[in-house]
């Protein structure tokens, strides 16, 4: 499916770009709106992302990343760039919904739905103070310092909670004990 | 940095959270430690899955907007390709037109800045004329305009309301035929009401042109566009 689509994009087939939109529009928009918290801005970013994909499809290397990963990275980077251009400050408390975020399964985009379901469960099982910081780091596009300022937590605590959350998630998918020397 | 120090940074590295110094130090360790690289891949796999866990739906008209952006991008790409042959062809056309003007006793190109009222009215009022809306390339621009083409008289009138007056620069109109061919249609300015009414001699094979555009150029104009267009006209509609 995607290989044929990519070939057609490289050949500058305009219909292929619209098909790409049909397949990945939901994913791109979901990422953008999570980061920007603004539907209109997310829609602008969405168009930018697909135009970037159109212009840069020749740079996509299937050996380096799945296509979903590639376009998701473009989406996140573009949304974060937009966020930083329009918001040259640490967000106000409450600007991100720390209390009510939820991970809604989007199986259609996952090349490995079982893994996605497991990740969904694992995230829900994480202590809230870890999953919230992970959310801010990924979807908030915040640095350590931004998160520390935003949450009022010491920088060291921010780092250790994010690290602990990530290590817990990794341990679920890679249960083999770490080979610490 | 030893392996354990590096190991504590890898989860943060996967989330792009490290500062430049930490990142450089970690990458140095990763380069020589395949075990840590495997860990990093595992963390990356988690980060890559995160966007799959949220779902929202865009407004239904975004697809149409994307299609419109694609068309605009194509015109822009066409515009920005400045090949040697394009310059060469434009130079020949300009030379021929200049020769015709000189033989006909026309003084110089500056005269093209002064619209001939009768001819302008003739173009605008000819029922056979075709009008094309201009599109600003900057969405924040507030001007409006129209390019009216009269193939009977082989003239066109570009009318734009809301352009800023320029200092030591001119607006320059171009017609674009292909990736490599462009026709210089001369320079113009705006009046005290910020309105431009510019009468254009159409190129001979006008029907084969795909788009027109206006750039801001040094006073007197340029041989080729030196900036992106501020407005475009799609002649294929």
């Amino acid at each position: 499916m995607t290989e044929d689509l990519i070939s057609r994009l490289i050949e500058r087939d305009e219909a292929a770009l619209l098909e790409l939109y049909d397949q990945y529009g939901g994913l791109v928009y979901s990422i953008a709106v999570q980061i920007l918290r603004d539907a209109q801005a997310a829609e602008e970013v969405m168009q930018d992302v697909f135009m970037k994909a159109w212009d840069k499809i020749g740079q996509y290397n299937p050996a380096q990343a799945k296509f979903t990963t590639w376009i998701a990275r473009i989406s996140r980077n573009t949304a974060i760039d937009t966020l930083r251009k329009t918001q040259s400050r640490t967000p106000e408390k409450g600007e991100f919904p720390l209390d009510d975020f939820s991970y809604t399964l989007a199986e259609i985009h996952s090349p490995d739905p079982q893994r996605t379901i497991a990740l969904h469960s694992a995230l829900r099982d994480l202590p809230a103070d870890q999953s919230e910081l992970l959310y801010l780091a990924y979807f908030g596009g915040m640095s350590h310092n931004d998160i520390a300022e935003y949450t009022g937590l010491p920088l060291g605590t921010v780092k250790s909670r994010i690290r602990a959350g990530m290590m817990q998630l990794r341990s679920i998918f890679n249960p083999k004990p770490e080979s610490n020397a | 940095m030893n392996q354990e120090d590096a190991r504590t940074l890898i989860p943060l590295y996967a989330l792009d959270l490290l500062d430049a110094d930490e990142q450089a130090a970690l990458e140095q360790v990763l380069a020589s430690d395949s075990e840590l690289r495997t860990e990093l891949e595992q963390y990356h796999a988690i980060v890559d899955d995160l966007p799959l866990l949220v779902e929202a739906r865009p407004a239904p008209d975004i697809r149409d907007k994307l299609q419109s952006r694609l068309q605009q991008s194509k015109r822009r790409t066409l515009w920005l390709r400045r090949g040697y042959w394009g310059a060469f062809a434009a130079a020949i056309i300009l030379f021929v037109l200049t020769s015709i003007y000189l033989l006909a006793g026309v003084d110089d190109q500056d005269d093209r800045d002064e619209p001939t009222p009768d001819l302008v009215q003739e173009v605008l009022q000819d029922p056979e004329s075709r009008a094309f809306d201009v599109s600003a390339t900057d969405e924040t621009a507030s001007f409006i305009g129209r390019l009216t083409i009269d193939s009977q008289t082989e003239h066109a009138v570009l009318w734009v309301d809301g352009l800023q007056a320029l200092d030591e620069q001119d607006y320059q109109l171009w017609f674009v035929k292909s990736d490599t061919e462009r026709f210089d249609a001369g320079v113009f300015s705006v009046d005290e009401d910020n309105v431009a009414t510019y009468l254009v001699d159409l190129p001979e094979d006008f029907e084969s042109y795909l788009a027109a555009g206006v750039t801001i150029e040094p006073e007197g104009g340029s041989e080729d566009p030196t900036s992106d267009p501020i407005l475009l006209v799609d002649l294929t509609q």
Side-chain angles (χ1 to χ4, degrees), chain A residues 27-48:
Chain A
L27 173 65
V28 172
Y29 179 74
S30 298
I31 296 169
V33 82
Q34 287 291 324
I35 291 171
L36 294 163
R37 319 299 310 175
D38 177 327
Q40 194 176 351
E43 287 173 358
E44 290 292 324
V45 162
M46 193 179 175
Q47 293 178 58
D48 291 344

Side-chain angles (χ1 to χ4, degrees), chain A residues 14 18 21-22 26-27 29-31 43 46-48 50-51 54 68-69 73 103-106 109 115-116 119 123 134 138-139 142 144 159 162-163 166-167 169-170 174 178-180, chain B residues 3-4 7-9 11-12 14-18 22 35 39 42-59 62-63 65-67 69-71 73-74 139:
Chain A
E14 293 172 26
L18 297 176
Y21 174 88
D22 292 338
L27 173 65
Y29 179 74
S30 298
I31 296 169
E43 287 173 358
M46 193 179 175
Q47 293 178 58
D48 291 344
F50 281 101
M51 291 310 297
W54 173 254
T68 303
T69 301
R73 284 179 185 164
Y103 296 97
T104 306
L105 197 60
H109 300 303
R115 180 189 161 88
T116 309
L119 179 60
L123 277 162
L134 273 174
Y138 187 83
F139 290 111
M142 292 185 186
H144 280 136
K159 289 183 181 181
I162 292 175
R163 183 185 300 119
M166 287 290 281
M167 289 173 75
L169 295 178
R170 174 175 169 259
N174 306 279
E178 291 177 12
S179 57
N180 293 343
Chain B
Q3 191 188 49
E4 280 315 297
R7 182 166 273 129
T8 63
L9 292 180
L12 309 177
L15 281 164
D16 287 332
L17 285 173
L18 298 185
E22 288 175 318
E35 186 185 326
E39 281 188 31
Q42 292 166 350
Y43 282 117
H44 267 152
I46 292 165
V47 173
D48 289 345
D49 274 351
L50 288 177
L52 304 180
L53 299 176
V54 293
E55 190 168 17
R57 291 185 186 282
I62 302 299
R63 195 177 192 275
K65 287 182 181 172
L66 179 65
Q67 199 162 12
R69 276 273 295 269
L70 180 63
Q71 296 309 317
S73 170
K74 278 173 58 187
E139 289 174 0

Side-chain angles (χ1 to χ4, degrees), chain B residues 195-216:
Chain B
V195 174
T197 306
Y198 182 48
L199 180 70
V200 183
D201 300 314
L202 289 174
E204 191 172 322
D205 53 347
F206 177 75
E207 295 298 332
S208 60
Y209 282 76
L210 304 174
V214 170
T215 57
I216 295 176

Side-chain angles (χ1 to χ4, degrees), chain B:
Chain B
M1 184 183 290
N2 62 32
Q3 191 188 49
E4 280 315 297
D5 291 337
R7 182 166 273 129
T8 63
L9 292 180
I10 290 176
L12 309 177
Y13 179 80
L15 281 164
D16 287 332
L17 285 173
L18 298 185
D19 63 36
D21 290 343
E22 288 175 318
Q23 191 172 318
L26 177 60
E27 284 171 352
Q28 204 169 2
V29 178
L30 285 169
S32 59
D33 191 324
S34 61
E35 186 185 326
L36 291 181
R37 286 200 300 275
T38 301
E39 281 188 31
L40 175 62
E41 283 172 19
Q42 292 166 350
Y43 282 117
H44 267 152
I46 292 165
V47 173
D48 289 345
D49 274 351
L50 288 177
L52 304 180
L53 299 176
V54 293
E55 190 168 17
R57 291 185 186 282
D61 65 337
I62 302 299
R63 195 177 192 275
D64 293 338
K65 287 182 181 172
L66 179 65
Q67 199 162 12
S68 172
R69 276 273 295 269
L70 180 63
Q71 296 309 317
Q72 197 173 22
S73 170
K74 278 173 58 187
R75 290 197 295 272
R76 223 175 142 78
T77 303
L78 190 69
W79 181 265
L80 291 173
R81 289 179 188 167
R82 300 176 185 135
Y84 168 80
W85 287 106
F88 182 68
I92 289 178
I93 293 168
L94 187 62
F95 173 76
V96 171
L97 286 174
T98 304
S99 303
I100 291 169
Y101 280 137
L102 289 174
L103 286 171
V106 176
D107 289 333
D108 54 41
Q109 192 167 335
D110 286 345
D111 286 349
R112 294 163 67 184
D113 209 0
E114 299 297 329
T116 308
D118 290 346
L119 197 45
V120 168
Q121 289 308 313
E122 191 177 337
V123 171
L124 295 178
Q125 292 172 8
D126 187 338
E128 298 297 315
S129 291
R130 295 174 63 204
F132 299 85
D133 288 333
V134 307
S135 304
T137 54
D138 177 357
E139 289 174 0
T140 62
S142 57
F143 58 77
I144 56 170
R146 195 176 304 116
L147 181 69
T148 306
I149 293 172
D150 183 356
S151 50
Q152 300 291 321
T153 64
E154 296 182 340
H155 284 86
V157 172
L158 176 67
W159 171 84
V160 189
D161 183 357
L163 285 177
Q164 291 184 335
L166 300 175
D167 185 24
E168 297 186 349
Q169 289 178 308
D170 281 322
Y171 292 105
Q172 190 161 2
L173 176 65
W174 311 85
F175 287 96
V176 179
K177 179 189 279 189
S178 68
D179 285 6
T180 55
E181 289 189 62
R182 188 182 299 111
F183 173 72
D184 169 13
V187 297
F188 63 94
S189 53
V190 298
D191 64 17
E192 62 274 15
D193 296 320
N194 298 101
V195 174
T197 306
Y198 182 48
L199 180 70
V200 183
D201 300 314
L202 289 174
E204 191 172 322
D205 53 347
F206 177 75
E207 295 298 332
S208 60
Y209 282 76
L210 304 174
V214 170
T215 57
I216 295 176
E217 299 295 337
E219 197 166 19
S222 302
E223 288 187 12
D224 281 310
T226 61
S227 61
D228 289 347
I230 59 161
L231 68 81
L232 289 170
V233 183
D234 183 356
L235 301 175
T236 62
Q237 293 175 344

Side-chain angles (χ1 to χ4, degrees), chain A residues 129 133 144 147-158 161:
Chain A
D129 59 4
L133 298 193
H144 280 136
I147 296 171
E149 195 170 337
Y150 181 75
T151 57
L153 293 169
L155 185 59
T157 304
V158 169
R161 285 184 184 174

Side-chain angles (χ1 to χ4, degrees), chain A residues 82-129:
Chain A
T82 301
L83 185 72
R84 289 179 180 160
K85 279 180 198 162
T86 55
Q87 176 188 280
S88 57
R89 59 177 177 79
T90 302
E92 297 296 329
K93 189 82 177 167
E95 204 164 315
F96 284 90
L98 279 179
D99 299 329
D100 66 356
F101 80 89
S102 63
Y103 296 97
T104 306
L105 197 60
E107 285 187 85
I108 191 170
H109 300 303
S110 176
D112 184 351
Q114 278 194 320
R115 180 189 161 88
T116 309
I117 291 167
L119 179 60
H120 182 247
S121 300
L123 277 162
R124 292 182 72 90
D125 289 343
L126 280 184
D129 59 4

